């Protein structure tokens, strides 16, 4: 009899804990929605109650203050980002693949309206108000930078990322790219991130990848194959492998085979498949 009573008590406790977790998640989601739609100043316990169907007292009981609520929202958003990355074991990937996968996942998630927008609105508010929350964001961003640096170092050890690249500077540059795009999306929510994501990945692949690297001594290419040139059938634009096209993100020595298949003529937009090799 006692055993049955204990089981019933445990079941009730678990149910209460589950209900508490569920209500807390609901409050956090309501807060994210309010921030994304109306801004940080609009976050009040009354607003959460109206948005999520909870009582004002419940929000106050859970978080104590608006500051406590915002800190909980930031923590929840960080956990969400980690969970998204955890679905793919990025750390198990080769270094260059890990960098590119992280950037790809980040920008795809940023395209999803709501959570990403709320995160950077909170960050902007913390910076503008000289809030103590700046340190929370700084710590999280430092962790990401260290992870990116580790992936770059791994890629260099594997021979897939150019050895002369400063891993710490590369990590900061990637983080700044993502941060800048996130802020730009706040300014222009209609911005289409898909082509920007594809261009960012192609640029990182070409600038980091060792395939287009010239030899460390003497500046000779890593392959002995002669350079070739390719001409656009539509406008006559000429791509010379030896010279590359730095203005288009193609470093000198970038082989035609290493240019992404979705690349198009920078002059007229003709696809790569409509170029012909020409004799130099």
């Amino acid at each position: 009899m006692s055993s049955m009573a204990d089981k019933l008590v445990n079941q009730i406790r678990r149910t209460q804990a589950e209900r508490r977790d569920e209500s807390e998640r609901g409050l956090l989601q309501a807060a994210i929605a309010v921030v994304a739609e109306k801004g940080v100043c609009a976050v009040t316990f009354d607003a959460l109650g109206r948005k999520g169907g909870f009582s004002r007292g419940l929000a106050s009981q859970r978080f104590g203050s608006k500051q406590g609520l915002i800190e909980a929202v930031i923590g929840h958003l960080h956990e969400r980002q980690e969970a998204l990355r955890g679905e793919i074991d990025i750390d198990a990937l080769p270094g260059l693949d890990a960098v590119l996968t992280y950037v790809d996942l980040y920008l795809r998630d940023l395209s999803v309206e709501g959570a990403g927008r709320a995160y950077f609105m909170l960050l902007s508010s913390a910076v503008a108000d000289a809030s103590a929350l700046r340190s929370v964001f700084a710590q999280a961003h430092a962790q990401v930078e260290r992870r990116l640096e580790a992936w770059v170092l791994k890629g260099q050890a594997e021979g897939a990322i150019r050895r002369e690249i400063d891993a710490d500077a590369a990590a900061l540059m990637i983080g700044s790219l993502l941060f800048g795009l996130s802020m730009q999306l706040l300014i222009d929510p209609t911005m289409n991130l898909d082509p920007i994501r594809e261009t960012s990945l192609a640029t990182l692949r070409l600038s980091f990848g060792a395939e287009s690297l010239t030899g460390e001594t003497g500046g000779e290419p890593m392959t002995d194959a002669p350079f070739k040139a390719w001409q656009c059938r539509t406008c006559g634009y000429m791509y010379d492998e030896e010279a590359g096209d730095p203005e288009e993100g193609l470093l000198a020595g970038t082989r035609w085979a290493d240019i992404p298949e979705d690349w198009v003529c920078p002059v007229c937009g003709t696809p790569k498949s409509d170029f012909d090799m020409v004799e130099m």
Side-chain angles (χ1 to χ4, degrees):
M1 185 71 177
S2 176
S3 177
M4 292 181 61
D6 290 341
K7 288 181 180 179
L8 181 59
V9 170
N10 289 335
Q11 184 178 3
I12 293 173
R13 287 175 178 171
R14 285 195 299 271
T15 302
Q16 289 174 338
E18 290 169 357
R19 284 202 300 268
R20 178 184 176 85
D21 289 343
E22 183 179 354
S23 63
E24 186 164 314
R25 284 194 301 271
L27 286 167
L28 293 174
Q29 290 298 329
I32 290 169
V34 171
V35 171
E37 293 171 8
K38 300 181 180 179
V40 180
C41 292
V43 178
T44 65
F45 291 150
D46 285 336
L48 294 194
R50 291 192 299 271
K51 187 69 177 179
F54 300 100
S55 69
R56 183 186 189 284
L58 179 62
S60 177
Q61 179 185 0
R62 288 285 190 272
F63 305 110
S65 65
K66 180 176 179 177
Q67 178 81 2
L69 169 64
I70 291 177
E71 289 179 1
V73 169
I74 294 170
H76 175 75
L77 290 171
H78 284 158
E79 291 173 2
R80 177 181 175 276
Q81 292 170 354
E82 286 298 318
L84 288 172
R85 291 191 285 270
E87 294 175 1
I88 300 175
D89 190 1
I90 298 182
D91 289 325
L93 297 174
L96 181 57
D97 289 346
V99 170
L100 296 175
T101 299
Y102 175 82
V103 172
D104 185 45
L105 288 175
Y106 182 99
L107 293 179
R108 287 182 185 276
D109 184 53
L110 193 62
S111 300
V112 179
E113 187 175 352
R117 179 175 175 82
Y119 179 85
F120 279 93
M121 290 183 75
L122 288 166
L123 187 154
S124 300
S125 176
V127 172
D129 297 339
S131 165
L133 290 173
R134 287 181 301 173
S135 62
V136 177
F137 288 103
Q139 292 171 7
H141 292 183
Q143 291 176 358
V144 172
E145 184 180 343
R146 287 193 296 270
R147 180 175 289 181
L148 285 166
E149 181 182 9
W151 290 333
V152 173
L153 290 170
K154 182 180 181 181
Q156 290 174 323
E158 295 165 340
I161 294 180
R162 296 162 52 191
R163 294 178 183 176
E164 76 271 20
I165 287 178
D166 184 305
D168 179 60
L172 183 58
M173 181 273 290
I174 296 169
S176 298
L177 166 68
L178 301 179
F179 181 86
L181 288 174
S182 302
M183 299 305 291
Q184 180 63 31
L185 192 61
L186 289 186
I187 298 171
D188 180 12
T190 65
M191 182 173 67
N192 183 3
L193 276 174
D194 287 339
I196 298 173
R197 175 178 54 81
E198 293 171 2
T199 301
S200 298
L201 293 172
T203 301
L204 288 172
R205 185 181 293 108
L206 287 170
S207 59
F208 281 23
E211 293 88 348
S212 59
L213 174 65
T214 57
E216 293 181 357
T217 59
E220 293 299 322
M222 294 179 70
T223 174
D224 292 328
F227 288 113
K228 300 175 182 177
W230 298 78
Q231 187 173 37
C232 175
R233 296 174 187 171
T234 304
C235 71
Y237 166 84
M238 189 81 69
Y239 176 75
D240 182 356
E241 291 180 331
E242 184 173 13
D245 192 343
E247 291 185 0
E248 296 299 320
L250 302 175
L251 302 178
T254 300
R255 300 286 179 170
W256 185 251
D258 295 327
I259 299 177
E261 292 305 313
D262 59 358
W263 180 84
V264 298
C265 175
V267 175
C268 68
T270 294
K272 180 185 175 184
S273 58
D274 288 337
F275 275 64
D276 297 313
M277 186 176 66
V278 297
E279 298 293 335
M280 295 296 290

